C-alpha cells in the first residue's frame, strides 16, 4: 500500500479520534519520502481539524504542505483548500493566514475568483467591511475578474455599513466589468433604500429591474410595500399591490399585514378592518387567511384607536378561532383595556391569563401597574405588585419607576425616596431613568441641596450622567432662578461634558470620566431649547438670539420648536412684527414652519385685535399646505369674541366640521361665554347643548354654564344646572353652589336652597360647611327652629370631617379615592377655609348662626372648631443606594 492510500485508510479508521488521526498522519507526512497526499485527503483532514477546533495543528499542516519537496502545483492546490475550508467554517483569521502564505509563495499565480469570493463572504459574515475592501483591491491588483456574486458581496457590505451611495456606484459599474446585476443585486439595494426612508429611489430600481428583464420576487415587493406603509404613503403602497398582480405575483399574508399595520398607524383603523375582513371572508379572490400577526395588528389598531367594543368583539373571535393563545395578544388586549380606563377588567384579565395557562410576564404586570398609577390608584397598583411577586415574577425598574413617578407627580418626595430604598432592598437597583424621575421632581420642588446629593449618588454608583440628566439639572437651575449658572454650565459642557455639573459644587470635576470625545456629553438641541425658552420667558430676547447664533456656530441646527420659542416670546411682548421676522428667517434657512408656529402668530395678532391680518395668515397657511388644527380656529374664535363678533365666531364651527376638525370644549366654552356676555342667552343655551352633543356630558361644560348663568343673574337656570350636576354625581368643586344657595336665600327662595343642600347630603357629598349658613339664617328668621337645628347638627358633623376637598359619593365608592382622603387626613390638617370662619364671626345684625352653633356645641360637647395647623413637609436628610 502506498503512502497516500495508507494516509487515507488511517484517516478513515480514526475519524472519530481527531487527535490520534492527526498524530499518525503527521508522522506519515513528515517522512522525507512521502509525497503530498491527494487534494481530497487534504480537504478531509482540514475539515476534521476544523471541526475539532485543532487550529494549531491546522497551521502545522500548512507548514508540512509548504515543505520544498512538494510540487508547486500541488502545494498551491492544497493551500487553496486550507483557505476555503477555514473561511467556510468562519475562521477568518486562520483563513487569512493561509491566504497570505498562498499569495507570498505564488505571487505570479493569483488565486481563483471562487477563493476570493469565499474570503469576501467570510469577511462579510464577520462584519469586517475593511477586509472586504482590502480583498477586493487585492483581487483587482492580481487581475482576477470579479463575478456578479463578488459584486453582490461588496454591495451588501457597503449597504451594511450605511454607505448606500458607494453601493449604488458599484452597482452602476457592474456592466463595465462584464457582470449583470441579478435579483440579489437589486434586492440588496432596494432593501437598503427602504431602510433609509428612500422608497421612491427603491421604486426607480424596481423599474430598472423590469427594463433589464429581471423579474422582481415577492420579497422585493413586500419590502417596498412595507416601506411605503411605514412612511405613511399608503396610496403608493396600494399602487405596488396592483403592480404585483399585473406581474403575476399574488400578495401573501406579509403583504396584507404591512398594509393593515400602516393603516392602523395612520389612524385609518376601519380601512384596515375592511382588508382584515376581506382576508377572512373573501374566498373568491383566494386572499391569504389572517395569521397570528394579522390578528395582533388588528387588535392593536382597535385598542390604540380607542375602539374598545370592536376590540372586544375581535378578542371573542380570536377565542372562538383559537387565535388568543399568545402572551403578546393578551398584552395588547391588556394595554387596550388600561388605555380606555377599564382597569377592573384589566385586573380580571390578568387572573384569566393565569387560569388559561398564559403566564403573565413583567411587561403584563407593568402595563396594569402603570395604568393604575396614572389614575392615582396607588393602593391597587401595590396590590398588583404583590400579586406579581406571589406569582414568581420579580418587579423590575419599570415597575418601581411607575410607583416612583406617582409619588413625584404628587410632590411626595419622602414617599419617592422610600420607593428607591425598597428597590435596592429587594435587589432591583435603580437605573438612570428611575433616578432622573426623582431628580426632576426635586428640582421642581426647589430642593436643590437634595438634588445635588442625588447627583452625587448617581455618579458614585456609576449610573452615567448622560445628556438627559444634564438637561434636567439645567432646566432645574432655570426654574429656580439660576439661569446664569445654567448658561455657565452649558458653556463648560463643551470642554468637560457632564463633569461640568461640578460647577454646582459637587466636586464632579475629575470624578466623571468624560475625556473620550465620542462619549462626551455635549449640549444638544434640547439643552439649548431649555436655555432659550427660559431667556425668552425672562424677557432676555437679545441674549436668547446670541445663544441661537452660538449653537448654530457649534453645528447644532435649530428646529421649528426653537424658532417657535422666539415667536412666542415676541408675541408675548406685543412685538408681532419681530415674530413675523422670525417666521421669514425660518423659511430662508429651510426650516419649515409648523402649524404651531402659525398658531402662535395668530395668538399674537389676536392680542392686538388684528382680525384681517389673522385671516391673511390663515390663507397663507392654506397656500403653503400647512394644516389648520383646532387651536388655529380657537385662536381666531377668541379674537372674534374679544371684538364681540360672536356670530362670525360661531359660524367657524361649521367650517371646522367641513375641514374634518372637531371643535373641542375650549371652542364651545369661548362661544358660550361670549353669547352670555352680550346677553344672548338663547344662543348660549343652544351652544351649550351643541357642546354636550359634540364633547359628551362633561362636568366642565355644566360648571361653565352654571357659573355663567349665575354671573348674569339667571339664578333659576343656574339652579337647574346644579341639580343636573348632582344627579350625575359630578364633583362640585367648580360649581358656584355656595353663592347660588346664598342668593336663593336672599331672594326668599329658602325651600330651593334647602332642597339643594339636602340633595347634596343625600348624594354623599362632603362640602364646605359654610354652605349651610345662609339657609340656617333664613330658617331662623322664619322661625323654623326645628329645621334650623337639624341643619346645624349636620353642619357640625360635616365640619368634623371636612378636609377642604370636594368629594362626591361616587368618588367615595372608589377604594383608592377613599384611601387617598384618609391618608391626606393622617398626613396633614387642612384649614377649613376663610369662608367658614368669616361666616361664623360675621356681624350682620342677626347673629342667629352663631347662637345656634353655641347651643349645638354646648348640647353635643363637640368642642371648638379646629384651627388650621401648619403643614408638615418631609425633608430628605439622607439618601443612599445600598448594594
Amino acid at each position: 500500500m502506498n503512502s497516500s492510500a495508507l494516509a487515507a485508510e488511517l484517516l478513515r479508521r480514526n475519524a472519530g479520534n481527531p487527535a490520534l488521526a492527526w498524530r499518525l498522519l503527521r508522522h506519515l507526512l513528515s517522512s522525507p519520502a512521502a509525497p503530498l497526499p491527494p487534494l481530497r485527503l487534504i480537504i478531509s483532514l482540514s475539515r476534521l481539524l476544523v471541526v475539532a477546533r485543532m487550529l494549531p495543528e491546522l497551521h502545522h499542516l500548512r507548514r508540512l504542505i509548504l515543505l520544498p519537496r512538494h510540487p508547486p502545483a500541488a502545494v498551491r492546490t492544497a493551500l487553496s483548500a486550507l483557505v476555503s475550508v477555514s473561511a467556510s467554517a468562519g475562521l477568518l483569521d486562520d483563513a487569512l493566514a493561509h491566504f497570505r502564505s498562498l499569495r507570498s509563495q505564488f505571487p505570479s499565480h493569483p488565486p481563483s475568483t471562487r477563493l476570493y469570493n469565499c474570503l469576501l463572504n467570510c469577511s462579510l459574515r464577520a462584519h469586517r467591511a475593511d477586509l472586504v475592501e482590502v480583498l477586493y483591491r487585492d483581487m483587482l491588483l492580481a487581475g482576477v475578474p470579479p463575478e456578479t456574486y463578488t459584486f453582490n458581496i461588496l454591495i451588501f457590505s457597503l449597504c451594511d455599513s450605511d454607505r448606500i451611495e458607494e453601493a449604488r456606484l458599484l452597482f452602476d459599474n457592474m456592466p463595465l466589468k462584464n457582470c449583470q446585476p441579478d435579483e440579489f443585486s437589486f434586492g440588496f439595494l432596494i432593501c437598503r433604500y427602504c431602510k433609509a426612508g428612500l422608497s421612491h429611489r427603491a421604486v426607480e430600481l424596481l423599474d430598472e429591474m423590469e427594463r433589464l428583464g429581471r423579474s422582481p420576487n415577492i420579497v422585493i415587493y413586500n419590502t417596498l410595500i412595507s416601506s411605503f406603509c411605514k412612511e405613511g404613503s399608503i396610496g403608493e403602497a396600494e399602487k405596488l399591490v396592483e403592480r404585483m398582480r399585473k406581474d403575476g405575483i399574488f400578495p401573501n399574508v406579509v403583504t396584507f399585514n404591512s398594509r393593515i399595520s400602516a393603516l392602523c398607524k395612520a389612524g385609518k383603523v376601519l380601512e384596515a378592518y375592511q382588508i382584515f375582513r376581506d382576508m377572512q371572508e373573501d374566498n373568491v379572490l383566494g386572499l391569504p387567511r389572517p395569521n397570528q400577526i394579522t390578528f395582533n395588528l388588528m387588535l392593536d389598531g382597535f385598542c390604540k384607536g380607542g375602539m374598545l367594543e370592536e376590540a372586544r368583539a375581535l378578542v371573542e373571535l380570536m377565542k372562538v378561532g383559537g387565535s388568543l393563545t399568545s402572551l403578546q395578544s393578551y398584552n395588547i388586549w391588556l394595554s387596550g383595556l388600561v388605555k380606555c380606563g377599564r382597569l377592573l377588567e384589566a385586573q380580571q384579565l390578568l387572573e384569566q391569563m393565569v387560569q388559561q395557562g398564559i403566564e403573565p410576564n413583567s411587561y403584563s404586570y407593568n402595563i396594569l401597574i402603570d395604568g393604575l398609577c396614572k389614575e392615582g390608584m396607588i393602593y391597587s397598583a401595590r396590590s398588583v405588585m404583590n400579586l406579581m411577586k406571589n406569582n414568581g415574577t420579580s418587579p423590575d425598574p419599570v415597575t418601581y419607576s411607575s410607583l416612583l413617578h406617582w409619588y413625584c407627580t404628587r410632590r411626595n418626595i419622602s414617599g419617592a425616596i422610600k420607593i428607591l430604598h425598597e428597590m435596592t432592598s429587594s435587589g432591583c437597583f435603580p437605573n438612570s431613568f428611575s433616578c432622573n424621575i426623582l431628580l426632576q421632581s426635586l428640582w421642581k420642588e426647589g430642593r436643590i441641596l437634595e438634588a445635588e446629593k442625588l447627583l452625587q449618588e448617581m455618579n458614585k454608583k456609576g449610573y452615567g450622567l448622560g445628556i438627559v440628566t444634564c438637561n434636567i439639572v439645567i432646566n432645574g437651575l432655570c426654574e429656580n432662578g439660576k439661569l446664569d449658572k445654567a448658561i455657565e454650565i452649558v458653556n463648560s459642557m463643551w470642554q468637560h461634558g457632564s463633569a461640568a455639573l461640578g460647577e454646582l459644587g459637587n466636586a464632579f470635576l475629575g470624578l466623571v470620566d468624560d475625556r473620550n470625545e465620542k462619549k462626551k456629553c455635549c449640549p444638544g438641541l434640547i439643552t439649548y431649547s431649555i436655555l432659550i425658552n427660559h431667556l425668552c420667558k425672562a424677557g432676555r430676547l437679545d441674549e436668547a438670539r446670541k445663544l441661537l447664533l452660538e449653537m448654530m456656530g457649534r453645528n447644532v441646527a435649530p428646529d421649528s420648536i426653537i424658532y417657535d420659542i422666539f415667536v412666542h416670546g415676541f408675541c408675548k411682548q406685543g412685538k408681532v412684527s419681530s415674530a413675523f421676522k422670525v417666521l421669514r428667517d425660518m423659511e430662508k434657512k429651510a426650516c419649515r414652519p409648523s402649524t404651531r408656529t402659525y398658531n402662535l402668530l395668530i395668538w399674537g395678532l389676536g392680542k392686538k385685535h388684528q382680525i384681517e391680518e389673522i385671516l391673511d395668515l390663515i390663507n397663507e397657511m392654506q397656500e403653503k399646505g400647512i394644516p389648520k388644527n383646532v387651536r388655529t380656529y380657537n385662536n381666531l374664535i377668541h379674537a372674534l369674541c374679544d371684538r364681540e363678533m360672536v356670530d362670525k365666531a360661531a359660524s367657524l364651527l361649521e367650517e371646522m366640521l367641513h375641514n374634518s376638525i372637531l371643535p373641542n370644549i375650549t371652542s364651545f366654552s369661548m362661544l358660550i361665554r361670549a353669547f352670555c356676555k352680550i346677553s344672548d342667552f338663547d344662543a348660549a343655551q343652544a351652544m351649550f347643548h351643541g357642546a354636550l352633543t359634540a364633547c359628551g356630558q362633561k362636568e366642565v361644560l355644566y360648571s361653565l354654564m352654571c357659573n355663567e348663568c349665575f354671573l348674569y343673574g339667571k339664578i333659576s337656570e343656574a339652579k337647574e344646572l346644579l341639580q343636573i350636576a348632582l344627579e350625575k354625581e359630578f364633583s362640585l368643586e367648580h360649581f358656584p353652589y355656595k353663592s347660588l344657595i346664598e342668593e336663593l336665600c336672599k331672594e326668599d327662595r329658602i325651600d330651593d336652597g334647602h332642597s339643594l343642600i339636602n340633595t347634596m347630603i343625600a348624594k354623599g357629598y362632603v362640602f364646605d360647611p359654610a354652605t349651610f349658613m345662609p339657609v340656617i339664617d333664613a330658617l331662623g328668621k322664619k322661625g323654623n327652629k326645628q329645621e334650623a337645628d337639624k341643619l346645624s347638627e349636620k353642619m357640625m358633623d360635616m365640619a368634623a370631617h371636612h378636609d377642604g376637598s370636594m368629594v362626591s359619593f361616587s368618588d367615595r365608592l372608589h377604594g383608592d379615592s377613599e384611601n387617598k382622603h384618609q391618608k391626606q387626613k393622617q398626613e396633614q390638617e387642612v384649614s377649613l377655609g376663610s369662608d367658614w370662619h368669616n361666616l361664623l364671626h360675621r356681624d350682620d345684625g342677626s347673629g342667629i348662626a352663631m347662637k345656634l352653633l353655641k347651643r349645638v356645641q354646648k348640647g353635643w360637647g363637640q368642642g371648638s372648631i379646629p384651627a388650621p395647623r401648619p403643614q408638615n413637609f418631609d425633608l430628605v436628610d439622607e439618601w443612599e443606594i445600598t448594594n
Side-chain angles (χ1 to χ4, degrees):
M1 183 181 290
N2 61 35
S3 60
S4 295
L6 180 60
E9 181 63 20
L10 288 171
L11 188 63
R12 184 184 67 78
R13 288 184 180 182
N14 296 283
N17 190 344
L20 180 59
W22 165 246
R23 283 199 299 271
L24 293 170
L25 288 171
R26 181 186 62 187
H27 177 73
L28 185 63
L29 292 172
S30 299
S31 173
L36 193 65
L39 179 62
R40 62 181 178 79
L41 190 61
I42 295 290
I43 293 172
S44 298
L45 181 57
S46 302
R47 285 177 178 164
L48 189 66
L49 294 173
V50 164
V51 170
R53 279 297 187 266
M54 297 170 65
L55 303 183
E57 289 78 1
L58 194 64
H59 288 278
H60 194 165
L61 177 61
R62 185 181 79 233
R63 289 194 293 274
L64 290 175
I65 291 170
L66 288 169
L67 289 173
R69 67 173 183 268
H70 297 144
V75 173
R76 204 166 56 243
T77 305
L79 285 176
S80 296
L82 279 181
V83 173
S84 180
V85 169
S86 300
S88 299
L91 302 172
L92 180 58
D93 293 333
D94 300 281
L96 288 171
H98 304 321
F99 183 74
R100 280 192 290 270
S101 294
L102 177 64
R103 292 290 282 126
S104 62
Q105 290 290 323
F106 305 100
S108 59
H109 291 81
S112 66
T113 303
R114 183 178 178 183
L115 193 63
Y116 272 108
N117 287 346
C118 188
L119 273 172
L120 285 166
N121 192 37
C122 184
S123 301
L124 181 64
R125 281 186 283 131
H127 301 288
R128 292 291 303 274
D130 55 329
L131 276 177
V132 171
E133 292 185 41
V134 169
L135 286 165
Y136 179 60
R137 283 198 298 270
D138 186 70
M139 187 178 186
L140 296 179
L141 288 171
V144 179
E147 301 172 339
T148 298
Y149 182 72
T150 314
F151 279 103
N152 285 348
I153 293 171
L154 294 168
I155 289 168
F156 190 93
S157 177
L158 289 168
C159 287
D160 196 47
S161 303
D162 291 325
R163 295 158 66 184
I164 191 167
E165 294 307 322
E166 293 176 59
R168 181 58 190 267
L169 184 63
L170 194 65
F171 174 87
D172 292 337
N173 286 330
M174 283 179 70
L176 301 177
K177 302 288 185 180
N178 297 318
C179 297
Q180 290 299 320
D182 60 11
E183 64 179 25
F184 294 104
S185 317
F186 282 99
F188 294 151
L189 269 178
I190 286 171
C191 180
R192 181 50 61 177
Y193 274 134
C194 289
K195 282 185 178 178
L198 302 169
S199 303
H200 287 92
R201 292 193 67 181
V203 171
E204 291 170 8
L205 270 179
L206 182 68
D207 296 337
E208 186 176 339
M209 192 176 185
E210 293 191 334
R211 279 197 302 271
L212 292 173
R214 303 282 184 187
S215 299
N217 56 30
I218 193 167
V219 175
I220 288 176
Y221 268 116
N222 282 346
T223 301
L224 279 163
I225 290 166
S226 177
S227 180
F228 275 116
C229 287
K230 285 176 183 174
E231 292 172 12
S233 303
I234 298 166
E236 295 295 326
E238 295 300 326
K239 289 177 186 176
L240 281 167
V241 173
E242 291 304 314
R243 185 168 171 175
M244 280 179 78
R245 291 194 173 103
K246 288 178 184 176
D247 287 347
I249 302 172
F250 200 79
N252 61 11
V253 70
V254 177
T255 318
F256 281 86
N257 285 348
S258 296
R259 297 164 70 195
I260 288 171
S261 175
L263 287 165
C264 288
K265 284 178 182 175
K268 300 180 179 180
V269 184
L270 293 178
E271 291 180 39
Y273 180 65
Q274 183 63 53
I275 294 173
F276 174 80
R277 195 171 59 183
D278 289 344
M279 291 173 73
Q280 280 191 300
E281 300 174 358
D282 197 335
N283 296 318
V284 178
L285 295 174
L287 301 181
R289 300 289 295 170
N291 60 10
Q292 183 72 51
I293 294 171
T294 321
F295 278 103
N296 286 346
L297 287 170
M298 201 64 250
L299 180 60
D300 190 51
F302 280 140
C303 289
K304 285 181 178 172
M307 303 168 71
L308 193 66
E309 294 311 311
E310 290 81 356
R312 196 187 304 281
L314 184 61
V315 166
E316 293 304 316
L317 180 65
M318 291 172 75
K319 284 180 182 176
V320 173
S323 298
L324 192 66
T325 56
S326 72
L327 179 60
Q328 184 184 9
S329 303
Y330 274 101
N331 282 345
I332 291 169
W333 180 221
L334 192 65
S335 182
L337 288 170
V338 170
K339 184 179 184 296
C340 294
R342 305 297 178 89
L343 298 171
L344 181 60
E345 281 186 70
Q347 287 176 280
Q348 291 169 347
L349 180 62
L350 266 182
E351 295 170 7
Q352 291 169 16
M353 288 169 69
V354 176
Q355 292 167 6
Q356 294 170 14
I358 306 291
E359 190 63 39
N361 58 9
S362 59
Y363 179 69
S364 316
Y365 289 107
N366 287 341
I367 290 169
L368 183 53
I369 288 169
D370 187 59
L372 290 166
C373 287
K374 283 178 179 173
E375 288 296 317
M377 301 167 67
I378 189 66
Y379 298 99
S380 294
R382 281 287 196 177
S383 298
V384 175
M385 187 172 166
N386 290 334
L387 177 67
M388 181 182 188
K389 292 176 182 176
N390 294 337
N391 289 340
T393 304
S394 299
D396 58 18
V398 177
T399 318
Y400 285 107
S401 292
S402 296
L403 299 173
L404 190 70
H405 190 262
W406 184 89
Y407 282 104
C408 288
T409 53
R410 280 148 185 83
R411 300 184 173 185
N412 189 340
I413 304 299
S414 58
I417 291 173
K418 285 177 184 175
I419 291 292
L420 283 181
H421 283 304
E422 185 180 333
M423 284 180 77
T424 54
S425 61
S426 65
C428 176
F429 296 105
N431 54 21
S432 296
F433 179 74
S434 309
C435 290
N436 282 339
I437 292 172
L438 179 56
L439 184 66
Q440 188 170 23
S441 187
L442 287 169
W443 279 109
K444 267 187 184 176
E445 291 295 304
R447 297 165 74 159
I448 300 172
L449 292 176
E450 290 164 277
E452 291 179 12
K453 184 169 184 181
L454 177 57
L455 277 172
Q456 287 178 331
E457 290 293 338
M458 290 174 70
N459 182 52
K460 180 181 173 183
K461 299 298 178 183
Y463 288 155
L465 305 180
I467 190 63
V468 174
T469 308
C470 291
N471 287 342
I472 289 171
V473 173
I474 290 158
N475 187 63
L477 287 167
C478 294
E479 294 282 354
N480 285 276
K482 298 177 181 287
L483 181 52
D484 293 322
K485 172 59 75 175
I487 294 170
E488 183 184 331
I489 287 175
V490 169
N491 291 334
S492 183
M493 281 175 68
W494 286 107
Q495 182 179 355
H496 300 294
S498 60
L501 297 180
E503 295 182 17
L504 286 170
N506 287 309
F508 284 164
L509 211 56
L511 291 176
V512 180
D513 185 10
D514 227 357
R515 290 169 293 180
N516 188 331
E517 289 295 325
K518 291 183 180 179
K519 295 183 179 179
K520 183 176 286 186
C521 180
C522 292
L525 186 61
I526 295 174
T527 318
Y528 279 103
S529 298
I530 292 167
L531 290 181
I532 289 171
N533 183 43
H534 283 282
L535 283 169
C536 288
K537 277 184 178 178
R540 296 160 64 176
L541 289 164
D542 289 337
E543 291 176 67
R545 274 193 299 240
K546 288 177 184 176
L547 200 60
L548 177 67
L549 294 173
E550 179 190 313
M551 67 176 278
M552 292 168 71
R554 292 186 179 274
N555 294 321
V556 181
D559 61 358
S560 63
I561 294 174
I562 284 189
Y563 282 112
D564 288 350
I565 292 170
F566 281 99
V567 171
H568 181 257
F570 282 123
C571 288
K572 191 177 178 182
Q573 290 190 353
K575 300 177 180 178
V576 183
S577 58
S578 296
F580 270 92
K581 287 179 184 177
V582 175
L583 174 67
R584 304 310 168 204
D585 192 49
M586 286 177 74
E587 293 168 338
K588 285 178 188 175
K589 290 185 170 59
C591 181
R592 180 178 167 82
S594 64
T595 303
R596 184 176 185 272
T597 314
Y598 279 91
N599 286 347
L600 287 168
L601 288 165
I602 292 168
W603 170 74
L605 291 169
K607 286 176 69 180
K608 290 180 169 291
H609 309 294
Q610 295 177 282
I611 304 297
E612 294 302 321
E613 288 80 356
I614 290 175
L615 296 174
D616 290 341
L617 201 58
I618 289 174
N619 289 333
E620 183 180 317
M621 288 178 73
Q622 191 163 349
E623 289 169 8
K624 292 182 176 178
I626 296 170
K628 299 185 283 289
N629 63 15
V630 67
R631 185 164 290 184
T632 315
Y633 281 100
N634 283 350
N635 285 339
L636 180 53
I637 288 170
H638 186 269
L640 290 168
C641 289
D642 268 2
R643 294 283 299 273
E644 296 192 352
M645 300 166 70
V646 189
D647 289 330
K648 192 168 184 178
S651 68
L652 289 173
L653 295 181
E654 188 175 344
E655 183 183 325
M656 291 171 75
L657 293 170
H658 178 74
N659 291 331
S660 301
I661 298 171
L662 292 176
N664 59 15
I665 289 175
T666 304
S667 319
F668 289 106
S669 297
M670 288 188 293
L671 289 166
I672 289 168
R673 287 194 183 96
F675 277 122
C676 287
K677 188 177 179 181
I678 61 172
S679 301
D680 191 344
F681 293 102
D682 289 338
Q685 196 69 246
M687 195 61 62
F688 170 66
H689 289 297
L692 295 178
T693 303
C695 305
Q697 302 285 316
K698 301 291 185 183
E699 176 187 310
V700 64
L701 291 170
Y702 280 96
S703 65
L704 166 70
M705 196 65 198
C706 185
N707 275 288
E708 290 297 305
C709 287
F710 179 76
L711 180 65
Y712 291 99
K714 298 287 182 178
I715 304 302
S716 296
E717 289 83 350
K719 173 185 166 290
E720 289 175 13
L721 288 163
L722 181 58
Q723 285 176 325
I724 294 171
L726 291 172
E727 288 169 13
K728 293 181 178 293
E729 295 188 346
F730 289 150
S731 167
L732 300 186
E733 185 177 358
H734 300 292
F735 284 81
Y737 66 96
K738 289 188 290 185
S739 302
L740 179 58
I741 289 171
E742 186 174 4
E743 192 63 33
L744 287 168
C745 291
K746 284 180 182 178
E747 293 184 359
D748 206 23
R749 296 171 62 179
I750 305 168
D751 290 342
D752 286 339
H754 194 182
S755 172
L756 283 174
I757 283 185
N758 286 334
T759 305
M760 289 161 71
I761 294 168
K763 289 285 183 180
Y765 283 93
V766 178
F767 50 90
D768 189 340
T771 312
F772 288 90
M773 301 299 287
V775 181
I776 292 172
D777 279 349
L779 289 171
K781 287 177 182 177
K782 291 283 186 182
N784 196 338
K785 178 178 174 296
Q786 186 178 2
E787 283 299 320
D789 280 352
K790 283 182 182 178
L791 277 189
S792 298
E793 183 176 349
K794 289 175 182 177
M795 179 177 67
M796 292 302 298
D797 182 55
M798 191 168 291
H801 298 89
H802 183 58
D803 68 352
S805 61
M806 171 53 64
V807 187
S808 70
F809 179 67
S810 60
D811 289 332
R812 285 177 154 254
L813 286 176
H814 200 295
D816 281 288
S817 292
E818 187 173 355
N819 286 330
K820 177 174 69 177
H821 288 291
Q822 287 174 354
K823 188 168 178 63
Q824 284 175 343
K825 289 171 189 174
Q826 291 169 3
E827 289 181 348
Q828 59 184 19
E829 290 286 342
V830 182
S831 169
L832 295 179
S834 59
D835 286 348
W836 169 246
H837 290 285
N838 289 340
L839 279 168
L840 280 178
H841 298 95
R842 69 182 179 176
D843 183 11
D844 59 0
S846 66
I848 294 171
M850 200 64 185
K851 291 172 186 175
L852 280 169
L853 282 173
K854 285 179 179 177
R855 185 172 71 244
V856 169
Q857 286 178 340
K858 185 176 179 181
W860 298 334
Q862 292 291 327
S864 60
I865 296 166
R869 297 179 187 174
Q871 182 181 356
N872 292 326
F873 198 70
D874 294 328
L875 292 174
V876 182
D877 296 325
E878 201 165 323
W879 180 75
E880 185 176 356
I881 300 170
T882 55
N883 288 318

